[in-house]
Amino acid sequence: MEDAPHVDDVVVFTAQRATFYQVKHASGDEAQPLTNSDLFARRDRLSLWRKLANGWVAVRTTHSDAQIQLVTNRPLSIQASTVDGRPFPALSEIVSRLLTSCREAVNSGTTFTPPPELKETWEHLRVLAGLTNDFDAFVGSLLIVPRAGSIEDLLASLRTHLTRLVGDQREGWSLVDTLVHLVVATAASSLSERRRIDRERDPHKNENKQW
């Protein structure tokens, strides 16, 4: 969708809200954790984090209550690391103590205040997203779903969701199957190409590197 950049792998519209899924399933290396680098480091000019923020800004012009879901079959890393030379806590801690807590505060109509020890990280996340006044609203709309299981599990979940929304319309299931499998095939192809380029640049580079 041209009006939903970076968040249009699967889009579900209902009378209540529009949900935009970005699927980041790993092919073959499911056990590799999703790291701060995967989410926040720049790749092809923009980080995945910035792409999610840009996508949210684009879709909320027509869907003010849009929800963005980042779905992956990988677990969240429990290792602290650095981003842009700054120390960051583990991604699992960022999601649980910052992103999830902020989303709960926004959805309950209260103001989110980050823990003092994570305030600097919170402010850097704001900068990395390229947002100022709307940052809390963006995080409030964002749901990161790790350990989502196989693509088949994801398809089954989407089928169940769509069945509740539109009834037993199997042509809709087929469309979702096609969309998600196309995304996976594209992601796997992109990953293979990136690994090939990495090997050419550095033959000793870790081949377990994910997207």
Side-chain angles (χ1 to χ4, degrees):
M1 294 178 62
E2 294 182 359
D3 57 346
H6 313 303
V7 292
D8 60 350
D9 286 348
V10 179
V11 182
V12 177
F13 297 98
T14 71
Q16 290 73 36
R17 74 169 27 165
T19 304
F20 297 80
Y21 294 86
Q22 188 64 19
V23 181
K24 291 296 183 182
H25 268 45
S27 177
D29 293 327
E30 292 88 346
Q32 292 293 321
L34 185 71
T35 67
N36 285 327
S37 177
D38 292 323
L39 185 56
F40 302 120
R42 293 182 184 179
R43 299 180 185 278
D44 302 324
R45 296 187 304 111
L46 296 176
S47 67
L48 176 58
W49 180 246
R50 184 64 172 265
K51 288 178 179 179
L52 293 173
N54 288 355
W56 174 78
V57 170
V59 301
R60 75 186 302 242
T61 59
T62 52
H63 305 283
S64 59
D65 58 350
Q67 182 183 82
I68 309 297
Q69 289 200 26
L70 173 61
V71 181
T72 179
N73 59 346
R74 299 164 63 184
L76 300 179
S77 173
I78 59 173
Q79 298 295 323
S81 61
T82 60
V83 176
D84 291 346
R86 297 172 178 264
F88 263 42
L91 183 57
S92 57
E93 182 176 2
I94 290 175
V95 170
S96 63
R97 300 187 63 196
L98 290 177
L99 305 187
T100 299
S101 295
C102 178
R103 186 178 72 250
E104 292 173 349
V106 169
N107 291 337
S108 64
T110 59
T111 300
F112 173 67
T113 302
E117 67 274 16
L118 295 178
K119 185 175 181 180
E120 185 174 344
T121 299
W122 181 249
E123 291 305 318
H124 195 49
L125 292 180
R126 184 194 306 273
V127 172
L128 292 175
L131 299 172
T132 53
N133 297 333
D134 292 333
F135 182 63
D136 284 20
F138 159 61
V139 176
S141 75
L142 177 66
L143 182 63
I144 296 180
V145 184
R147 297 184 183 276
S150 66
I151 285 298
E152 288 72 21
D153 293 335
L154 177 61
L155 285 172
S157 176
L158 286 172
R159 286 181 184 132
T160 299
H161 182 58
L162 288 173
T163 299
R164 288 199 303 264
L165 296 176
V166 298
D168 190 11
Q169 297 183 13
R170 295 181 182 273
E171 63 274 15
W173 294 4
S174 177
L175 176 59
V176 171
D177 285 356
T178 301
L179 285 172
V180 177
H181 281 295
L182 177 61
V183 169
V184 174
T186 302
S189 175
S190 175
L191 176 60
S192 297
E193 178 65 12
R194 180 173 294 122
R195 285 177 171 170
R196 182 188 67 77
I197 294 173
D198 285 346
R199 284 195 298 270
E200 291 178 355
R201 291 176 177 173
D202 181 0
H204 304 292
K205 194 174 184 66
N206 182 0
E207 291 202 2
N208 285 329
K209 184 69 177 176
Q210 297 292 326
W211 46 267

